[in-house]
Each structure stands twice: as C-alpha cells, then as structure tokens.
Coordinates of all heavy atoms in Angstrom, one line a residue:
M4 N 0.8 -1.2 0.0 CA 0.0 0.0 0.0 C 0.9 1.2 0.0 O 1.8 1.4 0.8 CB -0.9 0.0 1.2 CG -1.8 1.2 1.3 SD -2.8 1.3 2.8 CE -4.2 0.4 2.3
S5 N 0.6 2.1 -0.9 CA 1.3 3.4 -1.0 C 0.9 4.4 0.1 O -0.3 4.5 0.4 CB 1.1 4.0 -2.4 OG 1.6 5.3 -2.4
Q6 N 1.8 5.1 0.7 CA 1.5 6.1 1.7 C 2.0 7.4 1.2 O 3.2 7.6 1.0 CB 2.1 5.7 3.0 CG 1.7 6.7 4.1 CD 2.3 6.3 5.5 OE1 3.3 5.5 5.5 NE2 1.7 6.7 6.5
D7 N 1.1 8.4 1.1 CA 1.5 9.7 0.7 C 1.7 10.6 1.9 O 1.0 10.5 2.9 CB 0.3 10.4 -0.1 CG 0.1 9.7 -1.5 OD1 1.1 9.2 -2.0 OD2 -1.0 9.7 -1.9
N8 N 2.8 11.4 1.9 CA 3.1 12.3 2.9 C 2.8 13.7 2.5 O 3.1 14.1 1.4 CB 4.6 12.2 3.3 CG 4.9 10.8 3.9 OD1 4.1 10.3 4.7 ND2 6.0 10.2 3.4
T9 N 2.2 14.5 3.3 CA 1.9 15.9 3.0 C 2.4 16.8 4.1 O 2.2 16.5 5.3 CB 0.3 16.0 2.9 OG1 -0.2 15.1 1.9 CG2 0.0 17.4 2.5
V10 N 3.0 17.9 3.7 CA 3.4 18.9 4.7 C 2.8 20.2 4.2 O 2.9 20.5 3.0 CB 5.0 19.0 4.7 CG1 5.4 20.1 5.6 CG2 5.6 17.7 5.1
I11 N 2.3 20.9 5.2 CA 1.7 22.2 4.9 C 2.4 23.3 5.7 O 2.6 23.1 6.9 CB 0.2 22.3 5.1 CG1 -0.5 21.3 4.2 CG2 -0.4 23.7 5.0 CD1 -2.0 21.1 4.6
S12 N 2.8 24.3 5.1 CA 3.5 25.4 5.9 C 2.8 26.8 5.5 O 2.4 27.0 4.4 CB 5.0 25.5 5.5 OG 5.7 24.4 5.9
V13 N 2.7 27.6 6.5 CA 2.2 29.0 6.3 C 3.3 30.0 6.6 O 3.9 29.9 7.7 CB 0.9 29.2 7.2 CG1 0.4 30.6 7.0 CG2 -0.1 28.1 6.9
F14 N 3.5 30.9 5.7 CA 4.5 31.9 5.9 C 3.9 33.3 6.0 O 2.9 33.6 5.4 CB 5.5 31.9 4.8 CG 6.2 30.5 4.7 CD1 5.8 29.5 3.9 CD2 7.4 30.3 5.5 CE1 6.4 28.3 3.8 CE2 8.0 29.1 5.4 CZ 7.6 28.1 4.6
S15 N 4.5 34.1 6.8 CA 3.9 35.5 7.0 C 4.3 36.4 5.9 O 3.7 37.5 5.8 CB 4.4 36.0 8.4 OG 5.8 36.1 8.4
S16 N 5.3 36.1 5.1 CA 5.7 37.0 4.0 C 6.1 36.1 2.8 O 6.5 35.0 2.9 CB 6.8 37.9 4.5 OG 8.0 37.1 4.6
H17 N 6.1 36.8 1.7 CA 6.5 36.2 0.4 C 8.0 35.8 0.5 O 8.4 34.8 0.1 CB 6.2 37.1 -0.7 CG 6.6 36.5 -2.1 ND1 5.7 35.9 -2.9 CD2 7.9 36.4 -2.7 CE1 6.4 35.4 -3.9 NE2 7.7 35.7 -3.8
D18 N 8.8 36.7 1.1 CA 10.2 36.5 1.3 C 10.5 35.2 2.1 O 11.4 34.4 1.7 CB 10.9 37.7 1.9 CG 10.9 38.9 1.0 OD1 10.9 38.7 -0.2 OD2 11.1 40.0 1.5
A19 N 9.8 35.0 3.1 CA 9.9 33.8 4.0 C 9.6 32.5 3.2 O 10.3 31.5 3.2 CB 9.1 33.9 5.2
A20 N 8.5 32.6 2.4 CA 8.2 31.4 1.6 C 9.2 31.2 0.5 O 9.6 30.0 0.2 CB 6.8 31.7 0.9
D21 N 9.7 32.3 -0.1 CA 10.7 32.2 -1.1 C 12.0 31.5 -0.6 O 12.6 30.7 -1.2 CB 11.0 33.5 -1.7 CG 12.0 33.5 -2.9 OD1 11.7 32.7 -3.8 OD2 12.9 34.3 -2.9
E22 N 12.4 31.9 0.6 CA 13.5 31.3 1.3 C 13.4 29.8 1.5 O 14.3 29.1 1.3 CB 13.8 32.1 2.6 CG 15.2 32.0 3.1 CD 16.3 32.4 2.2 OE1 16.1 33.4 1.5 OE2 17.3 31.7 2.1
A23 N 12.2 29.4 1.9 CA 11.9 28.0 2.2 C 12.0 27.2 0.9 O 12.6 26.1 0.8 CB 10.5 27.8 2.8
V24 N 11.5 27.8 -0.2 CA 11.6 27.1 -1.5 C 13.0 27.0 -2.0 O 13.5 25.9 -2.4 CB 10.8 27.9 -2.6 CG1 11.0 27.3 -4.0 CG2 9.3 27.8 -2.3
K25 N 13.8 28.0 -1.8 CA 15.2 27.9 -2.1 C 16.0 26.9 -1.3 O 16.8 26.1 -1.8 CB 15.9 29.3 -1.9 CG 15.5 30.3 -3.0 CD 16.2 31.6 -2.7 CE 15.7 32.7 -3.7 NZ 16.2 34.0 -3.4
E26 N 15.6 26.8 0.0 CA 16.3 25.8 0.8 C 15.9 24.4 0.4 O 16.7 23.5 0.4 CB 15.8 26.0 2.3 CG 16.4 25.0 3.2 CD 17.3 25.6 4.3 OE1 17.4 26.8 4.4 OE2 17.8 24.8 5.1
L27 N 14.6 24.2 0.1 CA 14.2 22.8 -0.4 C 14.9 22.5 -1.7 O 15.4 21.4 -1.9 CB 12.7 22.8 -0.7 CG 11.8 22.8 0.5 CD1 10.3 23.1 0.1 CD2 11.9 21.5 1.3
S28 N 15.1 23.4 -2.6 CA 15.7 23.2 -3.9 C 17.2 22.9 -3.7 O 17.7 22.0 -4.3 CB 15.6 24.4 -4.8 OG 16.3 24.3 -6.0
Q29 N 17.9 23.6 -2.8 CA 19.3 23.3 -2.5 C 19.5 22.0 -1.8 O 20.6 21.5 -1.9 CB 19.9 24.5 -1.7 CG 19.9 25.8 -2.4 CD 20.3 26.9 -1.5 OE1 20.3 26.8 -0.3 NE2 20.5 28.1 -2.1
N30 N 18.5 21.4 -1.2 CA 18.6 20.2 -0.5 C 18.0 19.0 -1.3 O 17.6 18.0 -0.7 CB 18.0 20.2 0.9 CG 18.9 21.1 1.8 OD1 20.0 20.6 2.2 ND2 18.5 22.3 2.1
D31 N 18.0 19.2 -2.6 CA 17.6 18.1 -3.6 C 16.1 17.7 -3.4 O 15.8 16.5 -3.7 CB 18.5 16.9 -3.5 CG 19.9 17.3 -3.9 OD1 20.1 18.2 -4.8 OD2 20.9 16.8 -3.3
F32 N 15.2 18.5 -2.9 CA 13.8 18.2 -2.9 C 13.3 18.1 -4.3 O 13.7 19.0 -5.1 CB 13.1 19.3 -2.1 CG 11.6 19.0 -2.0 CD1 11.1 18.1 -1.0 CD2 10.7 19.6 -2.8 CE1 9.7 17.9 -0.9 CE2 9.3 19.4 -2.7 CZ 8.9 18.5 -1.8
D33 N 12.4 17.2 -4.6 CA 11.8 17.0 -5.9 C 10.8 18.2 -6.1 O 9.7 18.1 -5.6 CB 11.2 15.7 -6.0 CG 10.6 15.4 -7.4 OD1 10.7 16.3 -8.3 OD2 10.0 14.3 -7.6
M34 N 11.3 19.2 -6.8 CA 10.4 20.4 -7.0 C 9.1 20.1 -7.8 O 8.2 20.9 -7.7 CB 11.2 21.5 -7.7 CG 12.5 21.9 -6.9 SD 12.1 22.5 -5.2 CE 11.5 24.1 -5.5
T35 N 9.1 19.0 -8.4 CA 7.8 18.6 -9.2 C 6.7 18.3 -8.2 O 5.6 18.2 -8.6 CB 8.0 17.5 -10.2 OG1 8.4 16.3 -9.4 CG2 9.1 17.8 -11.2
K36 N 7.1 18.0 -6.9 CA 6.1 17.7 -5.9 C 5.7 18.8 -5.0 O 5.0 18.7 -4.0 CB 6.6 16.5 -5.1 CG 6.9 15.3 -5.9 CD 7.3 14.1 -5.0 CE 7.5 13.0 -6.0 NZ 7.5 11.7 -5.3
L37 N 6.1 20.0 -5.4 CA 5.9 21.2 -4.6 C 4.7 22.0 -5.2 O 4.7 22.3 -6.4 CB 7.1 22.1 -4.5 CG 7.0 23.4 -3.8 CD1 6.8 23.1 -2.3 CD2 8.3 24.2 -4.0
S38 N 3.8 22.4 -4.4 CA 2.7 23.3 -4.8 C 2.7 24.5 -3.9 O 2.9 24.4 -2.7 CB 1.3 22.6 -4.7 OG 1.3 21.5 -5.6
I39 N 2.5 25.7 -4.5 CA 2.5 26.9 -3.7 C 1.2 27.6 -4.0 O 0.8 27.8 -5.1 CB 3.6 27.8 -4.0 CG1 5.0 27.1 -3.7 CG2 3.5 29.1 -3.3 CD1 6.2 27.9 -4.1
V40 N 0.5 28.0 -2.9 CA -0.7 28.8 -3.0 C -0.5 30.1 -2.3 O 0.0 30.1 -1.2 CB -1.9 28.0 -2.4 CG1 -3.2 28.9 -2.5 CG2 -2.1 26.7 -3.1
G41 N -0.8 31.2 -2.9 CA -0.6 32.5 -2.2 C -1.5 33.6 -2.8 O -2.3 33.3 -3.7
K42 N -1.4 34.7 -2.2 CA -2.2 35.8 -2.7 C -1.2 37.0 -2.9 O -0.2 37.1 -2.3 CB -3.3 36.2 -1.7 CG -2.8 36.6 -0.3 CD -4.0 36.9 0.6 CE -3.5 37.3 1.9 NZ -4.6 37.7 2.8
G43 N -1.6 37.9 -3.7 CA -0.8 39.1 -4.0 C 0.4 38.8 -4.8 O 1.4 39.6 -4.8
Y44 N 0.4 37.7 -5.6 CA 1.5 37.4 -6.5 C 1.6 38.4 -7.6 O 0.6 38.7 -8.2 CB 1.4 36.0 -7.0 CG 2.4 35.6 -8.0 CD1 3.7 35.3 -7.6 CD2 2.2 35.6 -9.4 CE1 4.7 34.9 -8.5 CE2 3.1 35.3 -10.3 CZ 4.4 35.0 -9.9 OH 5.4 34.6 -10.8
H45 N 2.8 38.8 -8.0 CA 3.0 39.8 -9.1 C 3.8 39.1 -10.1 O 4.8 38.5 -9.8 CB 3.6 41.1 -8.6 CG 2.9 41.7 -7.5 ND1 1.7 42.5 -7.8 CD2 3.1 41.8 -6.2 CE1 1.3 42.9 -6.7 NE2 2.0 42.6 -5.7
S46 N 3.4 39.2 -11.4 CA 4.1 38.5 -12.5 C 5.6 39.0 -12.7 O 6.3 38.3 -13.3 CB 3.3 38.7 -13.8 OG 3.2 40.0 -14.2
E47 N 6.0 40.1 -12.2 CA 7.3 40.5 -12.4 C 8.3 39.8 -11.4 O 9.5 40.0 -11.5 CB 7.5 42.0 -12.2 CG 7.3 42.6 -10.8 CD 5.9 43.0 -10.5 OE1 5.0 42.7 -11.4 OE2 5.6 43.5 -9.4
E48 N 7.8 39.0 -10.5 CA 8.7 38.3 -9.6 C 9.3 37.1 -10.3 O 8.7 36.6 -11.3 CB 7.9 37.8 -8.4 CG 7.4 39.0 -7.5 CD 6.6 38.5 -6.3 OE1 6.9 37.4 -5.9 OE2 5.8 39.3 -5.8
H49 N 10.4 36.6 -9.8 CA 11.1 35.5 -10.5 C 11.1 34.3 -9.6 O 12.0 34.2 -8.7 CB 12.5 36.0 -10.9 CG 12.5 37.2 -11.7 ND1 12.2 37.2 -13.0 CD2 12.8 38.5 -11.4 CE1 12.3 38.4 -13.5 NE2 12.6 39.2 -12.5
P50 N 10.3 33.3 -9.9 CA 10.3 32.1 -9.1 C 11.5 31.3 -9.3 O 12.2 31.5 -10.3 CB 9.0 31.4 -9.5 CG 8.7 31.9 -10.9 CD 9.2 33.3 -10.9
V51 N 11.8 30.4 -8.4 CA 13.0 29.5 -8.5 C 12.9 28.7 -9.8 O 13.9 28.4 -10.5 CB 13.1 28.6 -7.3 CG1 14.2 27.6 -7.4 CG2 13.4 29.5 -6.0
G52 N 11.7 28.2 -10.1 CA 11.5 27.3 -11.3 C 10.1 26.8 -11.4 O 9.3 26.9 -10.5
F53 N 9.8 26.3 -12.6 CA 8.5 25.7 -12.9 C 8.7 24.3 -13.5 O 9.7 24.1 -14.1 CB 7.8 26.5 -13.9 CG 7.3 27.9 -13.4 CD1 8.0 29.0 -13.8 CD2 6.2 27.9 -12.6 CE1 7.5 30.2 -13.3 CE2 5.8 29.2 -12.1 CZ 6.4 30.3 -12.5
Y54 N 7.8 23.4 -13.2 CA 7.7 22.1 -13.9 C 6.6 22.3 -14.8 O 5.4 22.4 -14.4 CB 7.5 21.0 -12.8 CG 7.5 19.7 -13.4 CD1 8.6 19.1 -14.0 CD2 6.3 18.9 -13.4 CE1 8.6 17.8 -14.5 CE2 6.2 17.6 -13.9 CZ 7.4 17.1 -14.5 OH 7.4 15.8 -15.0
T55 N 6.9 22.3 -16.1 CA 5.9 22.6 -17.1 C 5.5 21.3 -17.9 O 6.1 20.3 -17.7 CB 6.4 23.6 -18.1 OG1 7.5 23.1 -18.8 CG2 6.8 24.9 -17.4
V56 N 4.5 21.5 -18.7 CA 4.1 20.4 -19.6 C 5.2 20.0 -20.5 O 5.5 18.8 -20.7 CB 2.8 20.8 -20.4 CG1 2.5 19.7 -21.5 CG2 1.6 21.1 -19.6
S57 N 6.0 20.9 -20.9 CA 7.1 20.6 -21.8 C 8.2 19.8 -21.0 O 8.7 18.8 -21.6 CB 7.8 21.9 -22.2 OG 9.0 21.7 -23.0
D58 N 8.4 20.1 -19.8 CA 9.3 19.3 -18.9 C 8.8 17.9 -18.8 O 9.6 16.9 -18.9 CB 9.5 19.9 -17.6 CG 10.2 21.3 -17.6 OD1 11.0 21.5 -18.5 OD2 9.9 22.1 -16.7
R59 N 7.5 17.8 -18.6 CA 6.9 16.4 -18.4 C 7.0 15.6 -19.7 O 7.4 14.4 -19.7 CB 5.4 16.6 -18.0 CG 4.8 15.3 -17.6 CD 3.3 15.5 -17.1 NE 3.0 16.9 -16.7 CZ 1.9 17.4 -16.9 NH1 0.9 16.8 -17.4 NH2 1.7 18.7 -16.5
I60 N 6.8 16.3 -20.8 CA 6.9 15.6 -22.1 C 8.3 15.1 -22.3 O 8.6 14.0 -22.8 CB 6.4 16.5 -23.3 CG1 4.9 16.7 -23.2 CG2 6.8 15.9 -24.6 CD1 4.3 17.7 -24.1
K61 N 9.3 16.0 -22.0 CA 10.7 15.6 -22.2 C 11.0 14.4 -21.3 O 11.7 13.4 -21.8 CB 11.6 16.7 -21.8 CG 11.7 17.9 -22.8 CD 12.6 19.0 -22.3 CE 12.4 20.2 -23.1 NZ 13.1 21.4 -22.5
S62 N 10.6 14.4 -20.1 CA 10.9 13.3 -19.1 C 10.2 12.0 -19.6 O 10.8 11.0 -19.7 CB 10.4 13.7 -17.7 OG 10.5 12.6 -16.9
W63 N 8.9 12.1 -19.9 CA 8.2 10.9 -20.4 C 8.7 10.5 -21.7 O 8.6 9.3 -22.0 CB 6.7 11.2 -20.4 CG 6.1 11.4 -19.0 CD1 6.7 11.4 -17.8 CD2 4.7 11.7 -18.8 NE1 5.8 11.6 -16.8 CE2 4.6 11.9 -17.3 CE3 3.6 11.9 -19.5 CZ2 3.4 12.1 -16.7 CZ3 2.4 12.2 -18.9 CH2 2.3 12.3 -17.5
G64 N 9.1 11.4 -22.6 CA 9.6 11.0 -23.9 C 10.8 10.2 -23.8 O 10.9 9.2 -24.6
T65 N 11.7 10.5 -23.0 CA 13.0 9.7 -22.9 C 12.6 8.3 -22.3 O 13.2 7.3 -22.7 CB 14.0 10.4 -22.0 OG1 13.5 10.8 -20.8 CG2 14.5 11.7 -22.7
T66 N 11.7 8.3 -21.3 CA 11.3 7.0 -20.7 C 10.6 6.2 -21.8 O 10.9 5.0 -21.9 CB 10.4 7.2 -19.5 OG1 11.1 8.1 -18.6 CG2 10.0 5.9 -18.8
G67 N 9.7 6.8 -22.5 CA 9.0 6.1 -23.5 C 9.9 5.6 -24.6 O 9.7 4.4 -25.1
A68 N 10.9 6.4 -25.0 CA 11.9 5.9 -26.0 C 12.6 4.7 -25.5 O 12.9 3.8 -26.3 CB 12.8 7.1 -26.4
F69 N 13.0 4.7 -24.3 CA 13.7 3.6 -23.7 C 12.9 2.3 -23.7 O 13.3 1.3 -24.2 CB 14.1 3.9 -22.2 CG 14.7 2.7 -21.5 CD1 16.0 2.3 -21.7 CD2 13.9 2.1 -20.6 CE1 16.5 1.2 -21.0 CE2 14.4 1.0 -19.9 CZ 15.7 0.6 -20.1
W70 N 11.7 2.4 -23.2 CA 10.8 1.2 -23.2 C 10.4 0.8 -24.6 O 10.2 -0.4 -24.9 CB 9.6 1.5 -22.3 CG 10.0 1.5 -20.9 CD1 10.0 2.6 -20.0 CD2 10.4 0.4 -20.1 NE1 10.4 2.2 -18.8 CE2 10.7 0.9 -18.8 CE3 10.7 -0.9 -20.3 CZ2 11.2 0.1 -17.8 CZ3 11.2 -1.7 -19.3 CH2 11.4 -1.2 -18.1
G71 N 10.2 1.8 -25.5 CA 9.9 1.5 -26.9 C 11.0 0.7 -27.6 O 10.8 -0.1 -28.4
G72 N 12.2 1.1 -27.2 CA 13.4 0.4 -27.8 C 13.6 -1.0 -27.4 O 14.2 -1.8 -28.0
I73 N 13.0 -1.3 -26.2 CA 13.1 -2.7 -25.7 C 12.0 -3.5 -26.4 O 12.1 -4.5 -26.9 CB 12.9 -2.7 -24.2 CG1 14.1 -2.0 -23.5 CG2 12.7 -4.1 -23.7 CD1 14.0 -1.9 -22.0

C-alpha cells in the first residue's frame, strides 16, 4: 500500500516562503512535488523554477523511447 506524505506550511511573508523554496531546492527536494498557493503574487517576480508540460513531455519522452526500444 502506498502512503502519501503531506506537509503544509504557512509563511507570514513572500520572502519567507521564497527562502523556504530555495532551501528545499538546494537540498535536492523534488520540486515537481511542490505546490504553492498564495495571494498578492505579481508577475514581475522571478520564481525559482517551474515544472511545465514541456518538462513532463521531455521526461516521459525519454522514458517512452527507452521502453519502446526494448
């Protein structure tokens, strides 16, 4: 049986949340498993990174090519 682990954190400022994300990233946390919900987000800010559909296709494409080759 699979067991999912969930952690929820609340930060008082955007800077505190940003610092936590940077720390997770520097400690090899799988950023594809991170979700952030907030308010007052401005598009001129620069997030640490995004996991996009393109990234998913690249990842699945290489896996699919491997299994297809077998």
Side-chain angles (χ1 to χ4, degrees):
M4 175 185 275
S5 169
Q6 183 179 20
D7 293 328
N8 295 316
T9 303
V10 175
I11 298 173
S12 295
V13 178
F14 298 95
S15 59
S16 70
H17 182 98
D18 290 336
D21 188 49
E22 201 56 41
V24 169
K25 287 178 184 175
E26 178 120 2
L27 287 170
S28 178
Q29 291 170 352
N30 287 289
D31 298 326
F32 180 81
D33 183 1
M34 299 304 281
T35 63
K36 297 184 180 200
L37 178 68
S38 296
I39 299 174
V40 177
K42 61 181 180 177
Y44 176 79
H45 302 286
S46 61
E47 70 270 4
E48 294 181 24
H49 303 285
V51 172
F53 289 104
Y54 182 67
T55 65
V56 172
S57 175
D58 294 333
R59 190 174 341 145
I60 289 170
K61 287 178 194 172
S62 174
W63 292 0
T65 54
T66 303
F69 171 77
W70 288 110
I73 293 177

